[in-house]
Amino acid sequence: QIEDDAADYLNRMPEVEGKDPEAERRKILDEIEVAGDAGDLLEALEKLWNVKKGCAGTPDFKKWLKMRKDLDAALQAKQAVRYVPAGEFLSGRGRETRSTGAFLIDVAEVNCAAYSKFCRETGHPVPRNWSGNNFPPGQASYPVTHVTQADAEAYAAWAKKSLPTEIEWEKAARGTDGRDYPWGDTFKPGHARIATERPGEIGETGKPLQGASPYGCLNMAGNAAEWTASSVEGKAVVHGGSFRSRHRAARTWARALVEADSAADCIGFRCVRRLP
């Protein structure tokens, strides 16, 4: 029903200067009707985002906002992503004010099943801990690890997304209020897979739910640490800590600098799609 509502609103879009409005409406509507996967729906969302200026300052602006909200909800039903709005947030240990554009980010790390599909379709080499072309038994929904930053970037490009920059990752993890952990300022046992007296164990993506960030992203503390697109002094920036880390390394602002060509059992990634 959400997709039907979004399609209905899109069909009644206001005119966009310089284009045939009916043709534009029909084109986007057709794309939604045949959307077989989340990637197609992402394309429709991006096109809707780009016609915003055709609605600004008119009675149709509220209708545009409703269209975008409905289509975004349909997108989230098809693929686990969350919307992070443009604007300022408190960044780093010192809580300095920084800003990002708007983007969509994966709820959880890319899992082995998704990465396996990428490798099959592109011929990209599989992680070294896989047997042949198969990920370890029972780990379809576990984060893919043993991947380099370049491997993560190749997957993101195939998925028509990108690796998040360091500040995009941090904003998605902590929201705007400068919190130290995705759920607040104090570490809470059971909210993240991390090391205590000894290294913990990696687990499924998307759990535990109580460890969610303000935007609804999971595993941004612990489980698999995550590659970003950023680098410092020639090394790649990794965030989030892992099942091998103590909780201080899992703070939202804490970074690790890692050789970009390393492939560890505790580093994975998630992707973003930036909205123009």
Side-chain angles (χ1 to χ4, degrees):
Q1 184 60 48
I2 292 173
E3 290 181 57
D4 290 342
D5 290 345
D8 178 60
Y9 280 111
L10 284 166
N11 200 34
R12 294 186 280 112
M13 272 171 41
E15 294 188 8
V16 180
E17 185 177 352
K19 294 184 178 180
D20 180 346
E22 182 56 36
E24 289 296 302
R25 286 194 292 268
R26 189 72 248 169
K27 182 178 178 182
I28 299 176
L29 179 58
D30 287 345
E31 290 179 8
I32 291 174
E33 289 176 344
V34 301
D37 58 33
D40 296 332
L41 207 54
L42 275 169
E43 295 287 349
L45 176 60
E46 186 169 326
K47 289 177 181 179
L48 176 59
W49 185 271
N50 286 332
V51 300
K52 179 178 180 179
K53 65 181 181 180
C55 306
T58 74
D60 290 309
F61 187 64
K62 287 185 177 180
K63 180 165 61 175
W64 181 89
L65 291 173
K66 181 65 164 59
M67 288 190 297
R68 206 205 63 77
K69 181 179 179 180
D70 286 346
L71 187 54
D72 190 37
L75 170 67
Q76 292 190 24
K78 284 204 170 194
Q79 176 172 306
V81 298
R82 292 294 179 264
Y83 172 66
V84 179
E88 297 180 341
F89 76 107
L90 299 180
S91 173
R93 185 172 189 170
R95 295 176 170 82
E96 299 175 355
T97 300
R98 301 188 71 177
S99 64
T100 70
F103 59 93
L104 301 169
I105 186 166
D106 296 345
V107 167
E109 311 103 321
V110 172
N111 63 31
C112 289
Y115 197 81
S116 177
K117 181 180 179 182
F118 156 66
C119 293
R120 290 195 309 271
E121 293 187 3
T122 65
H124 193 89
V126 301
R128 67 188 183 195
N129 67 318
W130 291 18
S131 176
N133 292 319
N134 301 314
F135 48 79
Q139 293 196 6
S141 60
Y142 282 53
V144 63
T145 57
H146 293 278
V147 291
T148 66
Q149 186 187 50
D151 290 330
E153 289 172 337
Y155 174 93
W158 170 78
K160 299 181 180 179
K161 299 181 182 181
S162 306
L163 285 186
T165 64
E166 180 177 21
I167 63 168
E168 286 171 340
W169 191 98
E170 184 186 352
K171 184 177 181 181
R174 77 191 308 185
T176 60
D177 59 9
R179 61 185 61 189
D180 280 339
Y181 296 95
W183 52 83
D185 282 326
T186 305
F187 180 76
K188 295 183 178 180
H191 283 49
R193 291 189 180 93
I194 60 161
T196 51
E197 295 300 320
R198 63 185 66 182
E201 294 183 355
I202 199 166
E204 291 181 282
T205 61
K207 297 178 182 179
L209 296 178
Q210 62 268 36
S213 79
Y215 297 110
C217 298
L218 301 171
N219 299 125
M220 299 198 86
N223 211 32
E226 299 176 22
W227 292 111
T228 73
S230 300
S231 61
V232 174
E233 298 177 353
K235 292 188 177 182
V237 176
V238 171
H239 267 278
S242 75
F243 66 95
R244 293 188 177 280
S245 307
R246 295 299 181 93
H247 68 83
R248 290 184 178 276
R251 288 176 291 188
T252 53
W253 48 265
R255 66 154 67 126
L257 301 182
V258 179
E259 296 291 345
D261 60 355
S262 61
D265 68 349
C266 58
I267 302 178
F269 65 99
R270 76 182 71 212
C271 302
V272 300
R273 186 180 181 105
R274 297 178 187 98
L275 296 171

